[in-house]
Amino acid sequence: MTQSMTDELKLAHDEADALIAAATSVDALRQAESRLLGKQGTLGKLLASIGQLPKEQRGPAGKEINLAKQAITERFAAARAKLEHAGDQQAVAGAQAYDPTLPGPVVPRGSVHPVTAVQWEIEDILARLGFVVVSGPEMETDYYNFEALNIPAMHPARDMQDTFWLTNGWLLRTHTSPCQVRAMERLGPPLRVIAPGRVFRYETEDASHAHTFHQLEGLMIDRGISIANLIAVMKLILSEVFRREVKIRLRPGFFPFVEPGFELDMSCEICGGTGCPTCKRSGWVEILPCGMVHPNVLRAGGIDPHAYTGFAFGLGLTRLAMMKYGVQDIRGLNSGDLRAIIRPEQRHGPAIIEKN
Ligand code: FA5
């Protein structure tokens, strides 16, 4: 073995080290190995040059070169095994990241506005008594909002509900009561309907007054309906919504479309009846005005008042939601304040909102 051959072998070892260190994949390693050990590689050329040595040196030189080739082959095999193992580990780690048995990321769920929650609840309660839900337009005519409800033009009762008049002579309904005559005309007696919806009033806002709020109209017409039926239904609504007896008071109330008419107030749930800004320090909140349908209204709806009687109520849905969920200021409910939003499973828990 000549000195230059010894140098070449050392070079081959160094080259193998460099190629192994540089290879980042099993494939790259294979290509480097075949380059180094192949015919055109350092070792291949060395083997080919043995024939030029004196005869007695050829055997020992061939042995030397083959030993080097074997050592280098083993080093490549070890490096390949190491890379394959690392790849397996990565694959296992990757599989763990996608473990289908792990719970997925929490996606925020939509939730129900307190007014909607109370509305649904009352719809469920009254559906059990045979009431059906109807709707009416938010843009109304003077006829259905006032005239048909026994409130003629120039009647002082029109001042009770400051009105947003539209340029076409129509108006934004000031209450859900127009749905009464619309339902009478459409369905005829006997009937049991409720009409939840938005109403609008041109008034100054405070803790318990909004310009846009929700009411839920109720109307029951049949032969022999009396105040006893009215009071039974009012009590049922409140005891089911609050799941306990709530303190109420019934007092005479004037609405041209009912006779007799009542105001049903409930003890303020925010202060427990001691007086606060929500109840204007009175301890009571007007929530459920009601009464026996006036004969003129029945006539306007095409119903004979001698054959049929009925009761109607105009529940202040937004105020009821405030009482149920402890919302201290009505403006919180219209503001998009997320503290006002409850999840269905929290429907009976308080959502206390104070105006900042
Ligand atoms: C009426 O609107 C009548 N249509 C109710 C009615 C129907 C009486 C059928 C008899 C028979 P009132 O204006 O009082 O009545 O309003 C009814 C309820 O709506 C009130 O008791 C109150 O709870 C609620 N309410 C009235 N004004 C506002 C307001 N600005 N903001 C929030 N809630 C209000």
Side-chain angles (χ1 to χ4, degrees):
M1 183 109 158
T2 64
Q3 183 56 47
S4 86
M5 281 178 121
T6 308
D7 292 345
E8 288 285 318
L9 271 185
K10 188 171 177 317
L11 207 70
H13 280 291
D14 291 348
E15 213 177 331
D17 285 342
L19 288 170
I20 287 171
T24 51
S25 71
V26 174
D27 269 355
L29 213 51
R30 266 205 194 94
Q31 281 169 20
E33 185 181 1
S34 70
R35 258 201 326 273
L36 186 65
L37 303 182
K39 278 188 183 163
Q40 296 307 314
T42 315
L43 281 181
K45 284 181 187 160
L46 265 179
L47 274 174
S49 68
I50 285 180
Q52 292 155 20
L53 290 176
K55 213 171 179 183
E56 66 283 1
Q57 287 183 17
R58 286 181 200 162
K63 202 173 163 190
E64 209 51 40
I65 295 169
N66 277 328
L67 278 175
K69 188 175 177 182
Q70 198 182 334
I72 289 174
T73 305
E74 279 168 13
R75 276 178 26 226
F76 268 100
R80 234 183 5 253
K82 209 168 150 190
L83 272 182
E84 275 165 0
H85 178 69
D88 286 350
Q89 293 286 89
Q90 259 177 14
V92 170
Q96 273 170 358
Y98 292 101
D99 182 352
T101 63
L102 290 175
V106 179
V107 179
R109 282 200 295 141
S111 33
V112 179
H113 193 277
V115 174
T116 311
V118 177
Q119 177 187 322
W120 287 352
E121 210 170 349
I122 295 171
E123 286 174 6
D124 288 348
I125 296 163
L126 291 179
R128 301 205 305 263
L129 299 185
F131 282 77
V132 293
V133 179
V134 296
S135 63
E138 291 180 341
M139 190 175 82
E140 253 306 356
T141 59
D142 180 291
Y143 175 74
Y144 284 110
N145 199 80
F146 295 124
E147 291 277 342
L149 291 172
N150 204 29
I151 318 175
M154 312 311 290
H155 190 289
R158 287 199 177 204
D159 285 346
M160 288 160 60
Q161 297 170 345
D162 286 330
T163 310
F164 287 111
W165 289 95
L166 304 176
T167 47
N168 63 359
W170 288 41
L171 50 91
L172 294 183
R173 67 178 177 190
T174 56
H175 51 175
T176 43
S177 297
C179 297
Q180 287 187 29
V181 172
R182 286 184 178 277
M184 289 180 210
E185 286 175 347
R186 222 170 76 213
L187 303 171
L191 57 86
R192 297 175 188 199
V193 294
I194 47 179
R198 271 196 315 178
V199 302
F200 312 87
R201 291 189 192 173
Y202 184 60
E203 62 178 303
T204 314
E205 294 201 315
D206 60 28
S208 57
H209 290 82
H211 53 68
T212 303
F213 57 99
H214 284 75
Q215 289 187 342
L216 185 141
E217 197 77 9
L219 177 68
M220 180 172 181
I221 294 175
D222 208 333
R223 294 177 192 275
I225 296 293
S226 70
I227 294 177
N229 300 109
L230 165 65
I231 291 175
V233 172
M234 302 297 97
K235 274 188 165 168
L236 177 78
I237 294 175
L238 291 178
S239 61
E240 292 264 323
V241 167
F242 289 93
R243 284 167 175 64
R244 60 184 162 81
E245 285 293 312
V246 288
K247 204 165 143 195
I248 57 165
R249 72 176 183 192
L250 198 64
R251 57 193 170 91
F254 173 69
F255 302 93
F257 34 96
V258 286
E259 181 56 41
F262 306 100
E263 284 280 9
L264 191 152
D265 307 331
M266 70 175 283
S267 174
C268 180
E269 290 282 308
I270 305 296
C271 59
T274 54
C276 67
T278 311
C279 60
K280 292 223 174 101
R281 317 228 167 260
S282 70
W284 295 96
V285 177
E286 282 180 15
I287 214 120
L288 231 174
C290 52
M292 300 304 291
V293 182
H294 196 287
N296 286 350
V297 178
L298 289 172
R299 274 189 213 100
I303 296 176
D304 178 2
H306 298 292
Y308 289 96
T309 50
F311 68 76
F313 60 87
L315 173 67
L317 206 53
T318 310
R319 284 206 192 146
L320 189 69
M322 292 170 71
M323 292 298 107
K324 174 153 181 164
Y325 295 108
V327 179
Q328 298 182 1
D329 195 302
I330 199 167
R331 289 163 286 197
L333 286 174
N334 285 341
S335 69
D337 185 338
L338 287 182
R339 288 172 302 167
I341 307 303
I342 48 162
R343 299 196 181 286
E345 65 270 18
Q346 296 173 332
R347 274 168 60 159
H348 307 302
I352 306 287
I353 299 174
E354 282 171 85
K355 188 81 186 152
N356 293 326

